């Protein structure tokens, strides 16, 4: 029997529905998720991570995204977490995102309850951080890299906010054993044996996953934290890629879209079954009617934004977040010398005394794309298992605490050797000689090596041209020999951060520790254990029952590494990159205990000194796109190298076509595509079935010569097992810039071919 609600009570009912009081008795929170493209400039820009000046973007492996969740409790507290397919968070990006959120929402989202975290891919465009150290190889600040991140983060939060509905959050965790190894085992072994004996492995194997379930529509997303570096893609790769974690996110979102089946995304739902019965000869006859098209202008707002995945209808968001990955490599086969094939030196990761030839090998060696797929797939499959079996519901308060702390001269209490305690201090930022040696994921150059606690005279002379560290700084940083005294270098502006954000987010029995750097395995364990035990000691009733604590690494800003005191003594890469001296980890534990106290007691901590906004001081030496051109008689989008006539391909084979193109910096194709695979269906319509957000499709761009205005784009499609037999073609979308500065969008298609 239908029940009519009196008119005067309808507003009250509406409010009750929004609060969740009537919507579902099982709903604990309001939840929302969002996702937006942050791929950025796919040409000319140095990639962030390896600090390799030769690693310049020249295409797309698959697209990068910002993925967000918001959880709010009935009392009004809320937290927002954004996971970026980027190397790390950036202080200036965070500042500008928060300014936009304030303009849009007032004080609903602030630095206190918004966390922005990077997955640590080393295959994304650089130039978006504000401190000099991190933008040297990108020739300074890159406005496009910065803008696409700020826009994408804001849009992902807007989507999550607009989609807030009553729902529940479930947590599950389990061990993933073969997706990471310790790349600095000699440092790890310097930790106390009694401490090491508490752990079975020298890296953390645990993945912690959140499952978001809308009370009405069901699952809407999952976010998980697991520690492994984003270095499956090598220091010579030039295609933008989310590396193993970005791949895992793509795999899981497609898995859910595909009906939660453990098979690749299929397109059979958009092709007729009659196509499948046509014989090969018939298909070749059909394909022969579709020759490559001349390039044509297209509407930027319409045709060039066609994508396989309907972004406006995106329902499920999956993020694979970073944790304490500081010494964890995805190159699980071990480290070997490229010249001899023998294992590298254990203590220094060298080959005959030199670091340049010592490389870690991924499980797909020598194919870095295969290594990325394998490590991504391992994380994806683990997450699916946790997702399907997640039954523990988060219940209780939503809370947060945040403070800015000056780590350049912070008093820290440490135990004395003979008993009692003493006050020591952190130091202004500095990097040691072992930093320049790089890691086995990406070695450095010259004669630097990991584990160097002395330095050498020549490089100290070179260092002194920039800044000679004073005796107090030298003493403070011991046993680190200072290569770059970045914390005291201020020309043309700050080289390294001094003021860092520390943050705790709470959702029921889950606590997220947002840290602005890369904690090593043992450093992360100490921080997690210290905060967990401290919270339980403060309120055992509230936190004593199954408290989950995770570390969200590379969050809100970036300050390189955090090693333990004992690892710092060894001065491998991670210790040499621990900026604020040997007591950095102890300082973090001290400051997080302050946040924990305030979280339990409901206090409001002083915000602390504000980090600088250096946007107006940024310098960029990257040349703009001046003009694009083609040979006489050729149009943008014309095919330069076509698919051979009457070609037939099978699954696992590769199809290529090359087009005359313009610089990808003219149009980032945000929420669009540079490359698309189209399939012919009944009625003569061409339907996009794969695009440059698919793992099987690569977009590669190059100039004719280094400074030539002529360029070409190659679309490479490795036919996946999910491909349906039929007639296909490749399409390229691009944009060209005229001598007068106007930008025109174009597209072109290859000749058709057959998949059998």
């Amino acid at each position: 029997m239908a029940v009519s609600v009196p008119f005067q009570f309808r507003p009250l009912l509406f409010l009750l529905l929004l609060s969740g009081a009537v919507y579902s008795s099982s709903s604990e929170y309001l939840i929302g998720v969002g996702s937006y493209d942050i791929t950025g400039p796919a040409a000319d820009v140095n990639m962030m991570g390896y600090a390799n000046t030769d690693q310049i973007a020249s295409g797309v492996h698959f697209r990068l995204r910002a993925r967000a969740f918001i959880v709010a409790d009935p009392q009004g507290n809320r937290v927002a977490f954004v996971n970026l397919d980027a190397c790390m968070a950036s202080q200036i990006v965070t500042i500008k995102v928060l300014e936009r959120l304030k303009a849009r929402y007032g004080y609903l989202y602030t630095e206190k309850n918004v966390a922005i975290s990077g997955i640590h891919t080393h295959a994304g465009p650089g130039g978006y951080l504000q401190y000099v150290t991190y933008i040297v190889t990108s020739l300074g600040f890159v406005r496009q890299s910065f803008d696409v991140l700020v826009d994408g983060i804001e849009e992902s939060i807007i989507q999550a906010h607009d989609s807030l509905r009553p729902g529940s959050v479930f947590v599950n965790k389990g061990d993933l054993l073969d997706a990471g190894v310790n790349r600095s085992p000699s440092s790890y072994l310097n930790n106390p044996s009694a401490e090491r004996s508490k752990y079975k492995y020298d890296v953390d194997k645990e993945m912690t996953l959140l499952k978001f379930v809308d009370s009405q529509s069901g699952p809407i997303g999952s976010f998980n934290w697991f520690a492994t570096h984003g270095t499956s893609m090598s220091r010579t790769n030039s295609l933008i890629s989310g590396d193993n974690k970005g791949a895992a996110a793509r795999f899981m979102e497609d898995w859910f879209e595909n009906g939660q089946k453990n098979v690749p995304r299929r397109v059979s739902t958009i092709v007729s079954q009659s196509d499948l019965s046509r014989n090969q000869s018939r298909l070749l006859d059909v394909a022969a009617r579709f020759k490559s098209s001349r390039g044509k202008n297209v509407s930027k707002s319409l045709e060039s934004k066609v994508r396989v995945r309907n972004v406006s209808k995106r329902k499920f968001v999956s993020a694979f977040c970073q944790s304490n990955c500081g010494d964890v490599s995805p190159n699980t086969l071990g480290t070997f010398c490229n010249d001899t094939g023998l294992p590298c030196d254990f203590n220094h990761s060298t080959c005959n005394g030199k670091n340049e030839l010592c490389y870690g090998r991924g499980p797909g060696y020598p194919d870095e794309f295969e290594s990325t797929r394998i490590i991504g797939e391992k994380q994806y499959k683990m997450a699916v298992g946790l997702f399907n079996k997640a039954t523990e519901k988060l219940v209780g308060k939503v809370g947060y605490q945040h403070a800015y702390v000056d780590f350049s001269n912070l008093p820290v209490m440490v135990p004395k050797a003979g008993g009692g305690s003493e006050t020591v201090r952190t130091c202004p930022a500095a990097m040691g000689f072992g930093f320049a040696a790089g890691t086995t994921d990406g070695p450095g150059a010259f004669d630097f090596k990991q584990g160097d606690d002395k330095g050498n005279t020549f490089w100290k002379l070179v260092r002194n041209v920039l800044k000679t560290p004073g005796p107090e700084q030298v003493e403070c940083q011991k046993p680190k020999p200072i290569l770059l005294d970045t914390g005291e270098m201020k020309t043309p502006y700050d080289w390294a951060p001094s003021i860092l954000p520390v943050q705790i987010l709470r959702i029921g029995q889950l606590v997220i520790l947002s840290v602005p750097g890369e904690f090593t395995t043992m450093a992360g364990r100490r921080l997690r254990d210290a905060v967990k035990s401290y919270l339980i000691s403060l309120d055992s009733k509230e936190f004593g029952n199954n408290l989950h604590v995770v570390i969200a690494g590379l969050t809100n800003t970036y300050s390189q590494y955090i090693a333990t005191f004992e690892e710092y003594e060894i001065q491998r890469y991670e210790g040499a990159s621990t900026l604020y001296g040997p007591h950095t980890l102890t300082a973090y534990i001290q400051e997080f205990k302050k946040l924990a106290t305030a979280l339990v007691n409901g206090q409001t901590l002083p915000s602390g000194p504000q980090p600088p906004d250096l946007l107006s001081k940024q310098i960029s030496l990257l040349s703009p796109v001046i003009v694009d051109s083609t040979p006489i008689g050729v149009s943008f989008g014309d095919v330069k190298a076509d698919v051979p006539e009457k070609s037939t391909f099978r699954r696992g084979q590769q199809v290529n076509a090359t087009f005359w193109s313009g610089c990808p910096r003219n149009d980032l194709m945000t929420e669009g595509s540079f490359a698309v695979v189209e399939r012919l269906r009944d009625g003569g319509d061409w339907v996009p079935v794969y695009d440059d957000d698919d793992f099987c499709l690569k977009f590669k761009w190059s100039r004719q010569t280094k400074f030539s205005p002529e360029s070409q784009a190659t679309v490479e499609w490795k036919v996946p097992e999910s491909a349906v037999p039929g007639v296909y073609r490749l399409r390229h979308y691009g944009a060209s810039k005229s001598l007068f500065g106007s930008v025109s969008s174009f597209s072109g298609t290859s000749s058709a071919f057959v998949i059998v």
Side-chain angles (χ1 to χ4, degrees), residues 226-243:
F226 176 76
T228 195
H229 248 75
T231 49
S232 293
M233 300 297 290
S234 75
R235 68 191 299 273
T236 59
N237 162 64
S238 65
L239 300 185
I240 290 176
S241 173
D243 209 279

Side-chain angles (χ1 to χ4, degrees), residues 199-211:
Y199 303 98
K200 187 175 181 180
Y201 304 104
D202 60 1
V203 296
D204 282 343
K205 303 290 188 178
E206 188 172 77
M207 175 183 286
T208 300
L209 178 138
L210 298 183
K211 177 179 181 179

Side-chain angles (χ1 to χ4, degrees), residues 497-756:
S498 296
I499 298 167
L500 303 179
V502 289
Q503 181 187 53
I504 288 182
L505 304 180
R506 178 193 175 186
I507 308 169
Q509 65 269 32
L510 174 77
V511 170
I512 302 171
L513 309 180
S514 301
V515 299
E518 304 174 61
F519 277 61
T520 63
T521 297
M522 194 63 85
R525 288 168 174 171
R526 289 185 191 177
L527 177 64
R528 273 199 314 262
D529 292 348
V531 173
K532 183 174 183 177
S533 60
Y534 190 66
L535 282 170
I536 293 172
S537 71
L538 291 173
D539 192 336
S540 59
K541 182 178 180 181
E542 183 79 8
F543 293 104
N545 185 21
N546 204 22
L547 176 63
H548 306 278
V549 180
V550 297
I551 288 175
L554 306 116
T555 301
N556 294 328
T557 191
Y558 184 63
S559 61
Q560 294 176 242
Y561 284 73
I562 300 91
T564 67
F565 181 89
E566 295 82 3
E567 292 166 347
Y568 186 91
E569 291 181 311
I570 301 300
Q571 281 298 294
R572 281 182 63 92
Y573 179 85
E574 295 80 16
S577 303
T578 297
L579 295 184
Y580 307 102
H583 304 293
T584 300
L585 173 59
T586 308
Y588 270 101
I589 293 173
Q590 170 184 284
E591 297 306 307
F592 268 97
K593 284 184 176 180
K594 293 178 183 178
L595 296 181
T597 300
L599 184 71
V600 171
N601 296 336
Q603 300 170 332
T604 300
L605 287 175
S607 60
Q610 293 296 304
D613 179 342
L614 302 176
L615 186 59
S616 64
K617 296 184 178 182
Q618 295 303 308
I619 298 170
S620 178
L621 301 178
L622 178 67
S623 300
V625 179
I626 304 299
V627 66
D628 295 292
S629 67
T630 59
I632 296 174
V634 174
S635 300
F636 291 105
D638 283 2
V639 173
K640 183 182 180 185
D642 202 1
V643 178
E645 187 176 353
K646 291 190 175 182
S647 293
T648 299
F649 298 91
R650 299 183 182 276
R651 296 170 184 86
Q653 294 183 319
Q654 183 168 294
V655 189
N656 300 339
T658 300
F659 302 82
W660 289 100
S661 191
C663 181
R665 286 197 284 158
N666 294 325
D667 185 342
L668 305 184
M669 295 294 173
T670 302
E671 293 294 6
S673 298
F674 290 108
V676 172
V677 177
E678 298 177 334
R679 186 183 189 279
L680 184 67
R681 67 178 179 183
D682 283 352
D685 294 331
W686 288 96
V687 179
V689 290
Y690 298 94
D691 63 18
D692 61 15
D693 202 15
D694 279 290
F695 206 83
C696 62
L697 188 64
K698 298 184 182 75
F699 165 71
K700 296 182 175 181
W701 178 87
S702 63
R703 287 190 172 90
Q704 294 293 91
T705 59
K706 185 173 182 179
F707 298 107
S708 173
E710 296 181 2
S711 65
Q712 60 191 38
T714 298
V715 178
E716 290 186 1
W717 183 40
K718 185 176 182 180
V719 184
E721 292 301 316
S722 60
V724 175
V727 177
Y728 291 79
R729 68 183 183 185
L730 306 179
R731 180 183 288 275
H732 166 50
Y733 290 109
S736 63
K737 187 174 183 179
S738 74
L739 190 59
F740 303 103
S742 61
V743 174
S744 301
S745 298
F746 62 83
S747 77
T749 59
S750 73
S751 294
F753 53 91
V754 173
I755 301 298
V756 295

Side-chain angles (χ1 to χ4, degrees), residues 298-312:
V298 298
S299 168
K300 177 180 175 181
S301 61
L302 296 175
E303 190 174 352
S304 64
K305 295 301 182 184
V306 170
R307 296 197 62 191
V308 171
R309 296 166 183 82
N310 192 328
V311 178
S312 64

Side-chain angles (χ1 to χ4, degrees), residues 289-519:
R289 298 202 299 266
F290 296 94
K291 307 296 184 182
S292 61
S293 68
R294 291 296 304 271
K296 64 176 183 177
N297 290 335
V298 298
S299 168
K300 177 180 175 181
S301 61
L302 296 175
E303 190 174 352
S304 64
K305 295 301 182 184
V306 170
R307 296 197 62 191
V308 171
R309 296 166 183 82
N310 192 328
V311 178
S312 64
K313 294 182 180 179
R314 187 182 296 276
K315 295 181 180 180
F316 188 82
V317 175
S318 180
F320 286 69
C321 311
Q322 196 54 270
S323 192
N324 53 318
C325 68
D327 53 0
V328 188
S329 171
N331 296 312
T332 53
L333 296 186
T335 60
F336 298 89
C337 298
N338 279 357
D339 55 346
T340 65
L342 297 174
C344 303
D345 173 77
F346 181 78
N347 290 315
H348 301 289
S349 297
T350 55
C351 300
N352 293 320
K354 296 185 178 297
N355 71 77
E356 292 93 332
L357 296 177
C358 177
Y359 279 87
R361 294 180 180 178
Y365 176 82
D367 186 341
E368 62 190 299
F369 297 98
E370 181 65 5
S371 291
T372 299
R373 183 196 65 79
I374 292 171
I375 298 298
E377 193 169 82
K378 288 178 183 295
Q379 292 176 77
Y380 145 67
K381 289 183 176 180
M382 183 70 191
V384 166
L386 295 175
F387 180 88
N388 285 335
K389 297 177 181 178
T391 58
E392 181 187 343
K393 188 163 69 170
L394 297 183
V395 294
K397 299 176 182 177
V398 173
Y400 48 83
Q401 288 291 336
H402 176 282
Y404 289 115
V405 180
D406 187 345
F407 270 73
S408 67
N409 189 27
L410 183 66
V412 182
M413 294 292 293
V414 298
K416 294 176 66 174
S421 61
E422 62 178 333
T423 300
V424 296
R425 289 184 176 271
T426 57
C427 324
M431 296 188 293
F433 276 66
F435 157 80
T439 73
T440 55
D441 292 333
F446 305 109
D447 54 350
F448 296 101
K449 64 180 181 180
Q450 297 192 67
D452 184 354
D453 61 359
K454 299 291 189 299
N456 68 58
T457 302
F458 172 77
W459 287 112
K460 287 181 179 178
L461 290 172
V462 174
R463 170 201 69 190
N464 292 345
V465 173
L466 293 172
K467 176 72 173 66
T468 304
E472 184 177 347
Q473 172 75 324
V474 171
E475 184 65 27
C476 185
Q477 290 278 355
K478 279 184 176 180
K480 178 197 293 177
I482 297 173
L483 177 64
L484 290 172
D485 191 17
T486 53
E488 299 182 310
M489 296 166 66
K490 306 294 182 182
T491 304
Y493 44 86
D494 292 0
W495 281 58
S498 296
I499 298 167
L500 303 179
V502 289
Q503 181 187 53
I504 288 182
L505 304 180
R506 178 193 175 186
I507 308 169
Q509 65 269 32
L510 174 77
V511 170
I512 302 171
L513 309 180
S514 301
V515 299
E518 304 174 61
F519 277 61

